[in-house]
Amino acid sequence: MALTLATGALTAPAAAATTGVTLSVDVSAARHVISPDIYGLNGADPAFAAEIGMPVARWGGNASTRYNFKNHTYNTGSDWYFENIVAGPDNTVESFVRTNRDRGTKQIVTVPMSGWVAKDSPDAHPFACGFPATRFPTQDGFDQWDPNCGNGKLNGANLTGAVPTDTSIAVDASFDGEMVSHLVSQFGPAARGGVSIYELDNEPVLWNATHRDVHPDAVSYDELGGKSTATAAAVRAADPSAAVLGPSGWGYCEWVASGLDGCAPGADAAAHGGLNFSQWYLKNMRDFSAAHGGKRFLNYFDQHYYPQIGGGTDPDAAALRLRSTRSLWDPTYVEESWIGPSGVNAPPLQFIRTMKSWVAQYYPGTKIAITEYNWGALDNINGALAQSDVLGIFGREGLDLATMWGEPQPTQPGAYAFRMYRNYDGAGSRFGDVSVSAVSSDQGQLAVYGAQRLCDNAVTVMVVNKTGSDQASPLSVAGFNGTGTAQRFTYSPADLNAIVHGQDLPVRRGRIDATFPANSVTLLVLPARRR
């Protein structure tokens, strides 16, 4: 879908605007490169992917845990009655790589690590499945289109005694080496345009839930550690130029604890030096590297992050969604969910900063990734505000890679959050490449992010008005020799189908006086003065 660009001034009566929040940008301070890979998606409408120049895409999710590249078959697990499905020609891993390679998008491919992949199966009903009625005649539910396939539950409890060979064949790390070698034979190595990154399975601590028909036992430190090093070694042997990413945990509990320990370090952690699951994982990968001549076997430390806020857009849910982005960075933000005082009583997450601190201590040089996240309400301006805030945080905090799960449709407000950073004018113009200091006197009301573009040295300032009122707020800009005007692009409830190009704003003595509409995202572009 092509971006619809409207023109015209965005003004509001001065009396209607709230004042008080001040914004400041210092182009010479806090400079660091913004990774373009933070603007990735797990999948996207082809036209939208092209429009935003989608930098990275991921082949992952629960189905990838048992994907068999030799027969193009996967198992749906608990997502849909544990059924073996033969992927159509447009849904194979080869199709994914080819499509994204041709559009210039970096690929992440998940390799299976649970010990099982789907065996040869019919490509139409009746499917092979993990809890067949022929073996488990009484279950809580059966597939309405395939009544032999059940959900593996009885009276709400998980059934036991499934036979893995009903659906799957046993494999080890050598299978992953074959998979990588196959993709290298098809597309070349990473260094010559092949698959760039391989992910060590998906949410492994949930295997005993999502794939409990073949992996009913809880995952321990030793199981994940042993399988991760063996699989990483097989991947790197097959393509030494490819990067490795893991462990891709599902959320807070897997962030800190093994499946055996539950949701806090316990006996399994005590047996591994008292380190939490992530800390030990990083140390284990570092130790494996040291034992193999210093060769790196983990390039990205990856975790998934879903704020525990649901999809509602009522006033309370909308306000919580906008506050909850603070959990990515703010050391003072106390989680307002079961993760916080009312539940497991975790300390402030400051998710990205904590990941970086663990890397610095246990495996320096490892990059940071979040390959699944979603703040929800992408069909609403509230979701667009949250997503705009999240992308700003990713850049400011130095995240290396991110791919949203459950991408927005091109016409939804959430898609415009990506456009504001990747194609705000319909001509491919983007937010800056180098993050610079940007400070708001109240980030909860007006969140601000600053950057400088390398191609033309323009300064870009993203302002997210999280309030329900217009905000008249001065912006000071230091360390920059601009032209004296700032271009203005705004996405707001006034037109949810367009980014509006407003009138230029004067820059006087390093100050811009602007009014930011209620519930809006505004990008100010300050062109550099030509010498």
Side-chain angles (χ1 to χ4, degrees):
M1 173 185 171
L3 173 65
T4 302
L5 185 66
T7 60
L10 284 174
T11 59
T18 301
T19 60
V21 179
T22 59
L23 309 173
S24 62
V25 170
D26 187 343
V27 180
S28 64
R31 293 176 65 89
H32 65 264
V33 173
I34 297 174
S35 170
D37 292 342
I38 64 173
Y39 305 110
L41 298 161
N42 274 265
D45 172 88
F48 180 64
E51 180 190 342
I52 66 170
M54 186 171 69
V56 60
R58 169 177 173 260
W59 164 275
N62 290 336
S64 65
T65 290
R66 277 194 269 174
Y67 182 81
N68 186 342
F69 77 96
K70 296 180 179 181
N71 60 15
H72 304 302
T73 303
Y74 61 94
N75 187 279
T76 58
S78 61
D79 288 348
W80 191 262
Y81 300 100
F82 302 88
E83 294 175 355
N84 276 12
I85 305 295
V86 179
D90 294 334
N91 294 311
T92 65
V93 68
E94 293 90 348
S95 176
F96 167 83
V97 175
R98 184 178 300 107
T99 297
N100 285 286
R101 181 198 61 175
D102 291 349
R103 67 164 62 119
T105 297
K106 182 184 299 184
Q107 312 102 49
I108 303 170
V109 169
T110 302
V111 293
M113 205 170 66
S114 71
W116 298 92
V117 295
K119 69 180 185 181
D120 290 341
S121 300
D123 60 4
H125 297 295
F127 294 138
C129 49
F131 293 95
T134 51
R135 196 182 298 280
F136 302 94
T138 305
Q139 300 183 52
D140 289 347
F142 292 91
D143 183 353
Q144 60 181 313
W145 293 287
D146 204 328
N148 187 50
C149 296
N151 66 358
K153 289 181 176 290
L154 183 60
N155 298 323
N158 291 339
L159 292 170
T160 60
V163 177
T165 53
D166 281 352
T167 60
S168 306
I169 57 175
V171 296
D172 58 20
S174 64
F175 178 89
D176 300 305
E178 292 181 60
M179 182 174 176
V180 175
S181 294
H182 166 71
L183 293 174
V184 169
S185 72
Q186 294 283 307
F187 305 105
R192 295 202 296 271
V195 176
S196 300
I197 304 170
Y198 289 95
E199 180 176 0
L200 303 179
D201 213 287
N202 175 73
E203 301 180 348
V205 167
L206 291 185
W207 287 340
N208 67 327
T210 53
H211 295 279
R212 61 182 182 272
D213 56 324
V214 296
H215 196 293
D217 298 327
V219 171
S220 67
Y221 278 60
D222 287 340
E223 182 184 6
L224 184 62
K227 286 182 173 178
S228 294
T229 52
T231 303
V235 169
R236 295 304 303 276
D239 186 356
S241 63
V244 176
L245 177 149
S248 307
W250 67 266
Y252 176 75
C253 294
E254 187 166 348
W255 199 34
V256 297
S258 70
L260 288 179
D261 279 346
C263 203
D268 203 9
H272 294 82
L275 300 178
N276 73 32
F277 206 33
S278 290
Q279 293 167 338
W280 183 85
Y281 180 87
L282 289 163
K283 179 180 180 298
N284 184 61
M285 298 300 281
R286 183 196 66 194
D287 291 347
F288 187 77
S289 173
H292 292 79
K295 183 178 180 180
R296 180 169 281 276
F297 291 93
L298 184 72
N299 302 89
Y300 291 87
F301 174 51
D302 171 54
Q303 296 288 348
H304 298 167
Y305 189 80
Y306 290 98
Q308 305 297 292
I309 55 177
T313 55
D314 60 90
D316 288 344
L320 175 57
R321 178 171 291 105
L322 297 179
R323 290 195 305 272
S324 67
T325 62
R326 293 168 58 192
S327 62
L328 290 168
W329 63 274
D330 191 343
T332 70
Y333 181 69
V334 178
E335 191 67 25
E336 301 174 67
S337 70
W338 62 267
I339 297 174
S342 62
V344 298
N345 200 21
L349 296 183
Q350 43 185 329
F351 196 76
I352 296 173
R353 294 184 182 186
T354 299
M355 290 173 72
K356 294 179 78 169
S357 70
W358 288 346
V359 161
Q361 184 172 0
Y362 296 105
Y363 199 179
T366 307
K367 297 179 179 181
I368 305 297
I370 301 175
T371 58
E372 287 190 26
Y373 74 93
N374 194 316
W375 254 259
L378 296 172
D379 59 349
N380 186 280
I381 185 63
N382 180 252
L385 298 179
Q387 183 61 31
S388 299
D389 196 25
V390 165
L391 292 175
I393 291 167
F394 285 172
R396 185 193 66 197
E397 295 296 316
L399 189 69
D400 294 295
L401 184 150
T403 50
M404 172 188 274
W405 182 272
E407 70 282 352
Q409 296 304 304
T411 58
Q412 290 182 327
Y416 284 90
F418 283 89
R419 289 187 177 103
M420 288 295 288
Y421 286 88
R422 300 288 293 178
N423 187 22
Y424 60 82
D425 60 355
S429 297
R430 297 174 179 173
F431 190 65
D433 314 278
V434 177
S435 181
V436 302
S437 174
V439 178
S440 169
S441 62
D442 191 337
Q443 191 81 353
Q445 293 191 58
L446 288 184
V448 61
Y449 304 97
Q452 188 165 29
R453 270 200 306 248
L454 296 177
C455 64
D456 60 2
N457 290 321
V459 170
T460 56
V461 182
M462 195 75 72
V463 181
V464 184
N465 183 353
K466 299 182 177 184
T467 76
S469 60
D470 294 356
Q471 297 283 323
S473 301
L475 166 67
S476 65
V477 181
F480 178 66
N481 184 21
T483 63
T485 59
Q487 300 168 359
R488 176 173 47 171
F489 299 85
T490 301
Y491 184 68
S492 76
D495 188 347
L496 293 178
N497 297 306
I499 294 171
V500 176
H501 185 182
Q503 291 181 338
D504 289 353
L505 297 172
V507 183
R508 299 186 179 94
R509 296 182 179 179
R511 174 180 166 128
I512 302 171
D513 290 305
T515 295
F516 302 98
N519 299 306
S520 69
V521 186
T522 298
L523 178 66
L524 301 177
V525 182
L526 286 68
R529 191 180 302 277
R530 293 183 179 181
R531 295 181 179 179

